[in-house]
Short mmCIF file of all heavy atoms in Angstrom, two decimals:
data_model
loop_
_atom_site.label_atom_id
_atom_site.label_comp_id
_atom_site.label_asym_id
_atom_site.label_seq_id
_atom_site.Cartn_x
_atom_site.Cartn_y
_atom_site.Cartn_z
N ALA A 25 4.74 3.02 4.55
CA ALA A 25 3.56 2.89 5.42
C ALA A 25 3.95 2.59 6.85
O ALA A 25 3.33 3.08 7.79
CB ALA A 25 2.67 1.80 4.86
N LYS A 26 5.03 1.81 7.06
CA LYS A 26 5.42 1.41 8.43
C LYS A 26 5.86 2.63 9.24
O LYS A 26 5.80 2.60 10.49
CB LYS A 26 6.56 0.40 8.37
CG LYS A 26 7.00 -0.13 9.74
CD LYS A 26 5.86 -0.80 10.48
CE LYS A 26 6.24 -1.21 11.90
NZ LYS A 26 6.30 -0.05 12.80
N LEU A 27 6.27 3.70 8.58
CA LEU A 27 6.63 4.93 9.30
C LEU A 27 5.43 5.54 10.04
O LEU A 27 5.60 6.32 10.96
CB LEU A 27 7.23 5.96 8.33
CG LEU A 27 8.56 5.61 7.71
CD1 LEU A 27 8.92 6.61 6.62
CD2 LEU A 27 9.68 5.58 8.77
N PHE A 28 4.21 5.15 9.60
CA PHE A 28 2.99 5.75 10.19
C PHE A 28 2.02 4.70 10.72
O PHE A 28 0.93 5.07 11.14
CB PHE A 28 2.31 6.59 9.10
CG PHE A 28 3.22 7.62 8.50
CD1 PHE A 28 3.74 7.42 7.23
CD2 PHE A 28 3.61 8.73 9.18
CE1 PHE A 28 4.59 8.32 6.62
CE2 PHE A 28 4.48 9.68 8.61
CZ PHE A 28 4.98 9.47 7.33
N LEU A 29 2.41 3.42 10.71
CA LEU A 29 1.57 2.35 11.25
C LEU A 29 2.35 1.56 12.27
O LEU A 29 3.46 1.09 11.98
CB LEU A 29 1.07 1.44 10.12
CG LEU A 29 0.14 2.05 9.08
CD1 LEU A 29 -0.13 1.01 7.98
CD2 LEU A 29 -1.18 2.48 9.70
N ASP A 30 1.75 1.34 13.45
CA ASP A 30 2.45 0.64 14.51
C ASP A 30 2.48 -0.85 14.34
O ASP A 30 3.45 -1.52 14.60
CB ASP A 30 1.79 1.02 15.84
CG ASP A 30 2.55 0.47 17.05
OD1 ASP A 30 3.76 0.18 16.88
OD2 ASP A 30 1.96 0.30 18.12
N HIS A 31 1.35 -1.42 13.84
CA HIS A 31 1.21 -2.87 13.83
C HIS A 31 1.66 -3.54 12.58
O HIS A 31 1.68 -4.78 12.50
CB HIS A 31 -0.31 -3.20 14.03
CG HIS A 31 -1.14 -2.85 12.83
ND1 HIS A 31 -1.42 -1.55 12.50
CD2 HIS A 31 -1.69 -3.64 11.87
CE1 HIS A 31 -2.14 -1.55 11.40
NE2 HIS A 31 -2.34 -2.79 11.00
N LYS A 32 2.02 -2.81 11.54
CA LYS A 32 2.31 -3.40 10.24
C LYS A 32 3.57 -4.27 10.31
O LYS A 32 4.60 -3.87 10.84
CB LYS A 32 2.50 -2.30 9.19
CG LYS A 32 2.71 -2.88 7.79
CD LYS A 32 2.67 -1.77 6.78
CE LYS A 32 2.97 -2.29 5.40
NZ LYS A 32 2.05 -3.32 4.96
N THR A 33 3.49 -5.48 9.73
CA THR A 33 4.63 -6.40 9.74
C THR A 33 5.06 -6.81 8.33
O THR A 33 6.12 -7.41 8.16
CB THR A 33 4.31 -7.67 10.55
OG1 THR A 33 3.12 -8.27 10.01
CG2 THR A 33 4.07 -7.34 12.00
N LEU A 34 4.23 -6.56 7.30
CA LEU A 34 4.60 -6.96 5.94
C LEU A 34 5.46 -5.88 5.31
O LEU A 34 5.08 -4.72 5.21
CB LEU A 34 3.28 -7.11 5.11
CG LEU A 34 3.48 -7.26 3.60
CD1 LEU A 34 4.14 -8.57 3.27
CD2 LEU A 34 2.18 -7.13 2.86
N TYR A 35 6.69 -6.27 4.90
CA TYR A 35 7.57 -5.34 4.20
C TYR A 35 8.04 -5.87 2.88
O TYR A 35 8.05 -5.16 1.86
CB TYR A 35 8.81 -5.00 5.07
CG TYR A 35 8.52 -4.74 6.51
CD1 TYR A 35 9.05 -5.55 7.50
CD2 TYR A 35 7.68 -3.70 6.89
CE1 TYR A 35 8.77 -5.31 8.84
CE2 TYR A 35 7.40 -3.48 8.21
CZ TYR A 35 7.96 -4.27 9.20
OH TYR A 35 7.67 -4.05 10.49
N TYR A 36 8.48 -7.10 2.85
CA TYR A 36 9.17 -7.64 1.68
C TYR A 36 8.40 -8.72 0.94
O TYR A 36 8.56 -8.89 -0.25
CB TYR A 36 10.57 -8.14 2.09
CG TYR A 36 11.41 -7.06 2.72
CD1 TYR A 36 11.73 -7.08 4.06
CD2 TYR A 36 11.88 -5.98 1.95
CE1 TYR A 36 12.49 -6.06 4.63
CE2 TYR A 36 12.63 -4.95 2.51
CZ TYR A 36 12.92 -5.03 3.85
OH TYR A 36 13.66 -4.02 4.39
N ASP A 37 7.57 -9.49 1.63
CA ASP A 37 6.82 -10.58 0.98
C ASP A 37 5.53 -10.01 0.38
O ASP A 37 4.44 -10.23 0.91
CB ASP A 37 6.53 -11.68 2.01
CG ASP A 37 5.82 -12.88 1.36
OD1 ASP A 37 5.99 -13.05 0.12
OD2 ASP A 37 5.12 -13.62 2.08
N VAL A 38 5.67 -9.28 -0.70
CA VAL A 38 4.53 -8.55 -1.26
C VAL A 38 3.86 -9.28 -2.42
O VAL A 38 2.81 -8.88 -2.89
CB VAL A 38 4.97 -7.14 -1.75
CG1 VAL A 38 5.44 -6.28 -0.59
CG2 VAL A 38 6.06 -7.25 -2.80
N GLU A 39 4.44 -10.37 -2.89
CA GLU A 39 3.93 -11.05 -4.10
C GLU A 39 2.51 -11.58 -3.97
O GLU A 39 1.76 -11.53 -4.95
CB GLU A 39 4.90 -12.17 -4.49
CG GLU A 39 6.28 -11.64 -4.94
CD GLU A 39 7.18 -12.75 -5.44
OE1 GLU A 39 6.68 -13.87 -5.65
OE2 GLU A 39 8.38 -12.49 -5.58
N PRO A 40 2.07 -12.08 -2.78
CA PRO A 40 0.68 -12.56 -2.71
C PRO A 40 -0.38 -11.46 -2.58
O PRO A 40 -1.55 -11.76 -2.40
CB PRO A 40 0.70 -13.41 -1.40
CG PRO A 40 2.13 -13.54 -1.01
CD PRO A 40 2.83 -12.33 -1.55
N PHE A 41 0.00 -10.21 -2.71
CA PHE A 41 -0.93 -9.10 -2.45
C PHE A 41 -1.12 -8.20 -3.68
O PHE A 41 -0.25 -8.07 -4.54
CB PHE A 41 -0.40 -8.24 -1.29
CG PHE A 41 -0.39 -8.94 0.02
CD1 PHE A 41 0.70 -9.72 0.42
CD2 PHE A 41 -1.47 -8.82 0.91
CE1 PHE A 41 0.72 -10.36 1.63
CE2 PHE A 41 -1.47 -9.48 2.13
CZ PHE A 41 -0.38 -10.26 2.48
N LEU A 42 -2.30 -7.61 -3.71
CA LEU A 42 -2.61 -6.52 -4.62
C LEU A 42 -2.67 -5.24 -3.82
O LEU A 42 -3.15 -5.21 -2.67
CB LEU A 42 -3.96 -6.77 -5.32
CG LEU A 42 -4.01 -7.92 -6.32
CD1 LEU A 42 -5.46 -8.19 -6.73
CD2 LEU A 42 -3.17 -7.64 -7.54
N PHE A 43 -2.18 -4.16 -4.40
CA PHE A 43 -2.15 -2.85 -3.73
C PHE A 43 -3.03 -1.88 -4.54
O PHE A 43 -2.84 -1.75 -5.76
CB PHE A 43 -0.72 -2.34 -3.62
CG PHE A 43 0.16 -3.18 -2.75
CD1 PHE A 43 0.71 -4.37 -3.22
CD2 PHE A 43 0.43 -2.80 -1.45
CE1 PHE A 43 1.50 -5.14 -2.40
CE2 PHE A 43 1.25 -3.56 -0.63
CZ PHE A 43 1.78 -4.75 -1.12
N TYR A 44 -3.96 -1.26 -3.82
CA TYR A 44 -4.85 -0.30 -4.48
C TYR A 44 -4.44 1.12 -3.99
O TYR A 44 -4.66 1.46 -2.81
CB TYR A 44 -6.29 -0.62 -4.15
CG TYR A 44 -6.71 -1.93 -4.74
CD1 TYR A 44 -6.56 -3.13 -4.06
CD2 TYR A 44 -7.20 -2.01 -6.06
CE1 TYR A 44 -6.90 -4.37 -4.63
CE2 TYR A 44 -7.56 -3.21 -6.63
CZ TYR A 44 -7.40 -4.38 -5.92
OH TYR A 44 -7.71 -5.58 -6.50
N VAL A 45 -3.81 1.86 -4.88
CA VAL A 45 -3.17 3.12 -4.55
C VAL A 45 -4.03 4.28 -5.03
O VAL A 45 -4.30 4.43 -6.23
CB VAL A 45 -1.75 3.21 -5.16
CG1 VAL A 45 -1.06 4.49 -4.72
CG2 VAL A 45 -0.91 1.97 -4.81
N MET A 46 -4.47 5.11 -4.08
CA MET A 46 -5.28 6.29 -4.43
C MET A 46 -4.39 7.51 -4.59
O MET A 46 -3.47 7.74 -3.81
CB MET A 46 -6.33 6.55 -3.33
CG MET A 46 -7.21 7.73 -3.62
SD MET A 46 -8.54 7.95 -2.38
CE MET A 46 -9.63 6.61 -2.84
N THR A 47 -4.65 8.28 -5.66
CA THR A 47 -3.82 9.46 -5.92
C THR A 47 -4.71 10.67 -6.20
O THR A 47 -5.91 10.55 -6.55
CB THR A 47 -2.91 9.25 -7.17
OG1 THR A 47 -3.73 9.06 -8.32
CG2 THR A 47 -2.02 8.06 -6.97
N GLU A 48 -4.13 11.84 -6.05
CA GLU A 48 -4.78 13.08 -6.38
C GLU A 48 -3.92 13.78 -7.45
O GLU A 48 -2.72 14.01 -7.24
CB GLU A 48 -4.90 14.00 -5.14
CG GLU A 48 -5.70 15.26 -5.36
CD GLU A 48 -5.83 16.08 -4.09
OE1 GLU A 48 -4.78 16.62 -3.65
OE2 GLU A 48 -6.93 16.17 -3.54
N ALA A 49 -4.52 14.09 -8.58
CA ALA A 49 -3.76 14.57 -9.74
C ALA A 49 -3.77 16.10 -9.82
O ALA A 49 -4.72 16.76 -9.50
CB ALA A 49 -4.30 13.99 -11.02
N ASP A 50 -2.62 16.66 -10.28
CA ASP A 50 -2.53 18.03 -10.70
C ASP A 50 -1.62 18.08 -11.92
O ASP A 50 -1.33 17.05 -12.52
CB ASP A 50 -2.04 18.94 -9.57
CG ASP A 50 -0.65 18.56 -9.06
OD1 ASP A 50 0.07 17.84 -9.77
OD2 ASP A 50 -0.27 18.97 -7.94
N ASN A 51 -1.14 19.28 -12.30
CA ASN A 51 -0.37 19.35 -13.53
C ASN A 51 1.03 18.81 -13.40
O ASN A 51 1.78 18.74 -14.39
CB ASN A 51 -0.30 20.83 -13.99
CG ASN A 51 0.27 21.74 -12.93
OD1 ASN A 51 0.67 21.31 -11.84
ND2 ASN A 51 0.33 23.02 -13.25
N THR A 52 1.45 18.35 -12.20
CA THR A 52 2.78 17.76 -12.03
C THR A 52 2.74 16.24 -11.95
O THR A 52 3.77 15.60 -12.03
CB THR A 52 3.47 18.31 -10.76
OG1 THR A 52 2.71 17.93 -9.60
CG2 THR A 52 3.58 19.81 -10.82
N GLY A 53 1.55 15.67 -11.75
CA GLY A 53 1.47 14.19 -11.68
C GLY A 53 0.38 13.77 -10.71
O GLY A 53 -0.41 14.57 -10.21
N CYS A 54 0.38 12.47 -10.45
CA CYS A 54 -0.61 11.85 -9.51
C CYS A 54 0.07 11.63 -8.15
O CYS A 54 0.97 10.81 -8.03
CB CYS A 54 -1.10 10.53 -10.06
SG CYS A 54 -2.03 10.70 -11.61
N HIS A 55 -0.37 12.39 -7.13
CA HIS A 55 0.29 12.39 -5.85
C HIS A 55 -0.37 11.36 -4.92
O HIS A 55 -1.60 11.28 -4.83
CB HIS A 55 0.20 13.77 -5.23
CG HIS A 55 0.77 14.84 -6.11
ND1 HIS A 55 2.11 15.10 -6.22
CD2 HIS A 55 0.14 15.71 -6.97
CE1 HIS A 55 2.31 16.07 -7.09
NE2 HIS A 55 1.13 16.47 -7.55
N LEU A 56 0.47 10.61 -4.21
CA LEU A 56 0.01 9.52 -3.33
C LEU A 56 -0.85 10.09 -2.19
O LEU A 56 -0.36 10.90 -1.40
CB LEU A 56 1.19 8.75 -2.79
CG LEU A 56 0.88 7.67 -1.78
CD1 LEU A 56 0.08 6.53 -2.41
CD2 LEU A 56 2.20 7.10 -1.17
N VAL A 57 -2.09 9.66 -2.10
CA VAL A 57 -3.01 10.02 -1.02
C VAL A 57 -3.04 8.93 0.05
O VAL A 57 -2.99 9.20 1.23
CB VAL A 57 -4.42 10.27 -1.57
CG1 VAL A 57 -5.41 10.42 -0.42
CG2 VAL A 57 -4.43 11.48 -2.45
N GLY A 58 -3.11 7.68 -0.41
CA GLY A 58 -3.15 6.56 0.52
C GLY A 58 -3.31 5.28 -0.27
O GLY A 58 -3.30 5.29 -1.51
N TYR A 59 -3.42 4.15 0.43
CA TYR A 59 -3.56 2.87 -0.25
C TYR A 59 -4.12 1.85 0.69
O TYR A 59 -4.15 2.05 1.91
CB TYR A 59 -2.21 2.39 -0.78
CG TYR A 59 -1.37 1.65 0.24
CD1 TYR A 59 -1.34 0.22 0.24
CD2 TYR A 59 -0.65 2.30 1.23
CE1 TYR A 59 -0.60 -0.45 1.17
CE2 TYR A 59 0.10 1.60 2.14
CZ TYR A 59 0.13 0.23 2.12
OH TYR A 59 0.83 -0.46 3.06
N PHE A 60 -4.59 0.73 0.15
CA PHE A 60 -4.84 -0.45 0.96
C PHE A 60 -4.35 -1.67 0.19
O PHE A 60 -4.34 -1.66 -1.06
CB PHE A 60 -6.31 -0.59 1.37
CG PHE A 60 -7.28 -0.84 0.23
CD1 PHE A 60 -7.55 -2.14 -0.19
CD2 PHE A 60 -7.93 0.21 -0.38
CE1 PHE A 60 -8.45 -2.38 -1.21
CE2 PHE A 60 -8.83 -0.01 -1.41
CZ PHE A 60 -9.09 -1.31 -1.82
N SER A 61 -3.90 -2.67 0.91
CA SER A 61 -3.44 -3.91 0.28
C SER A 61 -4.50 -4.97 0.56
O SER A 61 -5.26 -4.90 1.50
CB SER A 61 -2.09 -4.33 0.83
OG SER A 61 -2.12 -4.51 2.24
N LYS A 62 -4.42 -6.00 -0.29
CA LYS A 62 -5.46 -7.06 -0.22
C LYS A 62 -4.84 -8.35 -0.71
O LYS A 62 -4.17 -8.38 -1.75
CB LYS A 62 -6.66 -6.64 -1.09
CG LYS A 62 -7.77 -7.66 -1.22
CD LYS A 62 -8.83 -7.09 -2.16
CE LYS A 62 -9.94 -8.08 -2.41
NZ LYS A 62 -10.98 -7.54 -3.32
N GLU A 63 -5.06 -9.44 0.03
CA GLU A 63 -4.58 -10.74 -0.40
C GLU A 63 -5.29 -11.18 -1.68
O GLU A 63 -6.49 -11.00 -1.81
CB GLU A 63 -4.81 -11.80 0.68
CG GLU A 63 -3.77 -11.80 1.78
CD GLU A 63 -3.96 -12.99 2.71
OE1 GLU A 63 -4.81 -12.90 3.62
OE2 GLU A 63 -3.28 -14.02 2.49
N LYS A 64 -4.53 -11.75 -2.60
CA LYS A 64 -5.13 -12.23 -3.84
C LYS A 64 -6.10 -13.38 -3.55
O LYS A 64 -7.15 -13.49 -4.20
CB LYS A 64 -4.06 -12.70 -4.82
CG LYS A 64 -3.12 -11.57 -5.28
CD LYS A 64 -1.99 -12.12 -6.12
CE LYS A 64 -1.05 -10.99 -6.55
NZ LYS A 64 0.16 -11.51 -7.27
N ASN A 65 -5.75 -14.23 -2.59
CA ASN A 65 -6.64 -15.32 -2.20
C ASN A 65 -6.73 -15.34 -0.69
O ASN A 65 -5.87 -15.88 0.00
CB ASN A 65 -6.09 -16.69 -2.70
CG ASN A 65 -6.12 -16.76 -4.21
OD1 ASN A 65 -7.19 -16.68 -4.84
ND2 ASN A 65 -4.95 -16.90 -4.82
N SER A 66 -7.77 -14.72 -0.14
CA SER A 66 -7.95 -14.65 1.31
C SER A 66 -8.91 -15.75 1.77
O SER A 66 -10.07 -15.78 1.38
CB SER A 66 -8.48 -13.28 1.71
OG SER A 66 -8.75 -13.27 3.09
#
């Protein structure tokens, strides 16, 4: 994600977060469309 986002600073401390990953499926698998992350306790 950091390759396409200027302000992002979270890379390694991912444990407090949930990631919701959207995919588009075809006969080869579910291809990554995008995602958003969310703190477990905000």
Side-chain angles (χ1 to χ4, degrees):
K26 183 60 185 76
L27 293 170
F28 307 104
L29 294 175
D30 186 22
H31 70 288
K32 184 172 176 59
T33 56
L34 169 69
Y35 315 119
Y36 301 111
D37 185 23
V38 296
E39 294 185 12
F41 293 86
L42 292 169
F43 294 79
Y44 294 90
V45 184
M46 181 175 286
T47 64
E48 187 178 69
D50 60 18
N51 57 2
T52 63
C54 297
H55 305 280
L56 176 65
V57 170
Y59 85 100
F60 66 88
S61 59
K62 175 182 177 180
E63 278 188 277
K64 295 174 183 176
N65 294 299
S66 175

